[in-house]
Amino acid sequence: MEINSQIVQKNIEKAKNGDQVAYTFLLDFFWNEVYGFMLKRTQNETDTEDIVIETFSKAFDRISTYNPEYAFNTWLIAIAKNVHIDMLRKKRSSLFVEINDEDDRKAYNIPDDALSAEDELIKEQNLSRLLHCIKQMKPQYQEVIQLRYFQEMSYQEIAAQLNEPLNNIKVKLLRAKKLLSEIIKGKQDC
């Protein structure tokens, strides 16, 4: 057990310095523990997967704040609990909407939501701009974005098609989304 603890600590230090292999090691090492813990709480595999992915994303974004006096898995579980609480709050706030008489009257005057020719053009331009941003990424990240969001494949299907472990696909997709976000934020025209 002591050997695992030393390996984990070394990988945490490497991850703090941006080592991608260390991130993958930590994700693989702790994934099942965090996933199992959250699955017991949510009783929903889809929600659990979303929570765990967001947990690791937040943990890796803030890994420099990790205090080694505490167990890394305890830190991850605390993050997962907070992500779960945030998710529940969002669901609750979207479920309970108070409707008054004015809102009720407005509901009868719902406009046609079909896109106008101008809206269609804007949508096409935005998609074109997004595709241009995606093309600036490394091919491995372009591929997972394409498979997940344009072909709507599940993580398992992507892993099977690329012949890679499921956790690697999750990490690649997480990195790809972050990189795409940075590209979009950094350049108005991509």
Side-chain angles (χ1 to χ4, degrees):
M1 199 63 161
E2 183 64 33
I3 294 171
N4 277 347
S5 176
Q6 291 172 354
I7 293 170
V8 167
Q9 288 304 319
K10 285 181 184 177
N11 278 285
I12 291 169
E13 291 307 313
K14 288 179 182 179
K16 284 182 178 181
N17 293 319
D19 185 321
Q20 298 299 315
V21 174
Y23 286 132
T24 302
F25 170 83
L26 293 171
L27 182 96
D28 289 343
F29 193 83
F30 291 104
W31 178 271
N32 288 340
E33 183 176 354
V34 177
Y35 185 88
F37 177 84
M38 288 313 303
L39 186 58
K40 287 178 187 172
R41 291 180 74 132
T42 66
Q43 301 291 311
N44 180 309
E45 290 180 10
T46 304
D47 285 348
T48 297
E49 192 167 278
D50 290 344
I51 291 167
V52 176
I53 289 171
E54 189 171 340
T55 296
F56 279 97
S57 174
K58 287 184 178 205
F60 292 157
D61 284 346
R62 298 184 189 110
I63 198 159
S64 62
T65 66
Y66 166 67
N67 183 349
E69 291 178 21
Y70 303 99
F72 192 72
N73 60 339
T74 304
W75 186 62
L76 288 172
I77 295 292
I79 294 170
K81 286 179 182 177
N82 289 334
V83 169
H84 184 223
I85 289 168
D86 289 345
M87 184 185 82
L88 291 174
R89 284 182 184 148
K90 286 178 189 172
K91 281 185 178 180
R92 279 191 196 120
S93 68
S94 67
L95 289 177
F96 301 106
V97 177
E98 194 172 315
I99 298 176
N100 57 33
D101 290 340
E102 177 65 22
D103 291 333
D104 196 36
R105 278 192 292 279
K106 287 179 184 176
Y108 289 103
N109 297 321
I110 297 174
D112 179 15
D113 61 353
L115 294 178
S116 68
E118 294 85 6
D119 291 336
E120 283 287 345
L121 183 61
I122 291 169
K123 182 179 170 185
E124 285 178 31
Q125 288 173 344
N126 286 340
L127 180 59
S128 175
R129 205 172 292 139
L130 176 63
L131 291 172
H132 182 70
C133 291
I134 291 171
K135 286 181 182 175
Q136 294 180 21
M137 301 169 68
K138 291 181 180 178
Q140 64 180 351
Y141 296 131
Q142 288 181 33
E143 186 174 34
V144 292
I145 291 281
Q146 171 70 24
L147 294 173
R148 180 72 175 149
Y149 297 105
F150 292 96
Q151 295 183 25
E152 298 181 352
M153 294 175 75
S154 70
Y155 293 112
Q156 291 83 5
E157 291 169 331
I158 296 169
Q161 179 160 335
L162 299 180
N163 198 24
E164 290 187 34
L166 181 61
N167 284 343
N168 285 8
I169 297 302
K170 290 175 183 176
V171 169
K172 265 190 192 174
L173 198 54
L174 184 67
R175 289 182 191 145
K177 289 191 296 190
K178 283 185 183 180
L179 289 170
L180 184 58
S181 173
E182 290 170 11
I183 290 170
I184 291 170
K185 286 179 186 173
K187 301 177 183 175
Q188 295 302 324
D189 298 331
C190 289

